[in-house]
């Protein structure tokens, strides 16, 4: 069942809880939840979002998971959070202050939960949240304590620069960097 326009608008500014646990291999970090995700209560839930297919195609999950199965991720060493926790129709509705505060929040989450890798899904959001104007997709030169930082392409269906095969390749590069333990 698809949400009505009114139901989607009612999801505006709704918070979507993190899927997180201590000691994860990878904490994936979206920009912020879309209205469809907030309405459903599941990360990357909008049809057309390529997060779940990229996760599976790169070997992080043994099968293609549905967004409603997000709570399985910690048992696979994976988690999900967002730079900005509140939902909006589009990422460009976020303010610079929200993105900066999101960087502070992420540093705190990483310090508390200590994932091996923080993987931010969107280079522009990463640049804004971490004041890293020259950041590019891939492993970043600096870390957050012992946590390695990666930037992966935004898996939104609106990101025309990366089609699914290229997203899978970038996710697979991150997975390969984890070695036999990832």
């Amino acid at each position: 069942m698809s949400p009505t326009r009114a139901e989607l608008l009612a999801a505006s500014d709704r918070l979507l809880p993190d899927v997180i646990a201590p000691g994860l291999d990878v904490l994936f970090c979206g920009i912020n939840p879309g209205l469809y995700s907030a309405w459903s209560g599941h990360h990357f839930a909008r049809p057309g979002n390529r997060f779940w297919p990229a996760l599976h195609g790169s070997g992080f999950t043994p099968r293609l998971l549905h967004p409603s199965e997000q709570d399985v991720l910690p048992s696979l060493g994976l988690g999900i959070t967002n730079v900005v926790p509140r939902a909006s129709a589009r990422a460009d509705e976020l303010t610079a202050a929200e993105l900066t505060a999101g960087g502070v929040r992420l540093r705190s989450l990483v310090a508390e939960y200590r994932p091996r890798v923080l993987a931010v899904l969107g280079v522009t959001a990463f640049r804004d949240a971490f004041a890293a104007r020259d950041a590019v997709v891939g492993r970043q030169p600096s870390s957050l304590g012992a946590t390695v930082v990666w930037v992966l392409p935004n898996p939104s269906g609106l990101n025309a620069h990366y089609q699914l095969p290229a997203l899978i390749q970038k996710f697979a590069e991150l997975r390969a960097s984890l070695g036999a333990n990832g």
Side-chain angles (χ1 to χ4, degrees):
M1 177 168 116
S2 295
T4 65
R5 180 169 160 67
E7 288 171 325
L8 285 177
L9 291 175
S12 183
D13 298 324
R14 188 174 294 167
L15 299 180
L16 195 55
D18 294 331
V19 176
I20 195 167
L24 297 171
D25 289 322
V26 182
L27 178 59
F28 290 97
C29 180
I31 300 168
N32 77 310
L35 296 181
Y36 194 99
S37 288
W39 168 80
S40 75
H42 306 295
H43 294 271
F44 304 105
R46 185 167 191 75
N49 190 293
R50 299 163 304 178
F51 174 77
W52 298 100
L55 205 62
H56 173 61
S58 62
F60 274 110
T61 60
R63 63 179 175 79
L64 179 60
L65 297 176
H66 185 270
S68 65
E69 296 177 286
Q70 68 186 18
D71 292 335
V72 168
L73 291 177
S75 69
L76 300 172
L78 308 172
I80 303 174
T81 189
N82 288 286
V83 175
V84 176
R86 79 168 176 93
S88 68
R90 294 181 323 276
D92 65 3
E93 295 176 16
L94 303 175
T95 67
E98 283 179 297
L99 290 165
T100 300
V104 171
R105 177 182 171 277
L106 285 173
R107 285 179 181 90
S108 177
L109 271 180
V110 165
E112 179 179 353
Y113 289 95
R114 300 177 186 258
R116 286 176 60 195
V117 174
L118 173 67
V120 179
L121 305 173
V123 69
T124 301
F126 178 80
R127 288 173 181 161
D128 292 343
F130 289 93
R133 298 290 169 227
D134 297 326
V136 295
V137 169
R139 184 176 177 160
Q140 300 306 296
S142 60
S143 61
L144 297 176
T147 299
V148 173
V149 179
W150 277 69
V151 174
L152 295 173
N154 183 338
S156 167
L158 300 176
N159 182 358
H161 297 303
Y162 284 89
Q163 297 305 313
L164 184 57
L167 282 172
I168 289 171
Q169 178 185 351
K170 293 300 181 187
F171 276 58
E173 289 171 11
L174 165 56
R175 184 167 181 268
S177 77
L178 296 172
N181 297 332

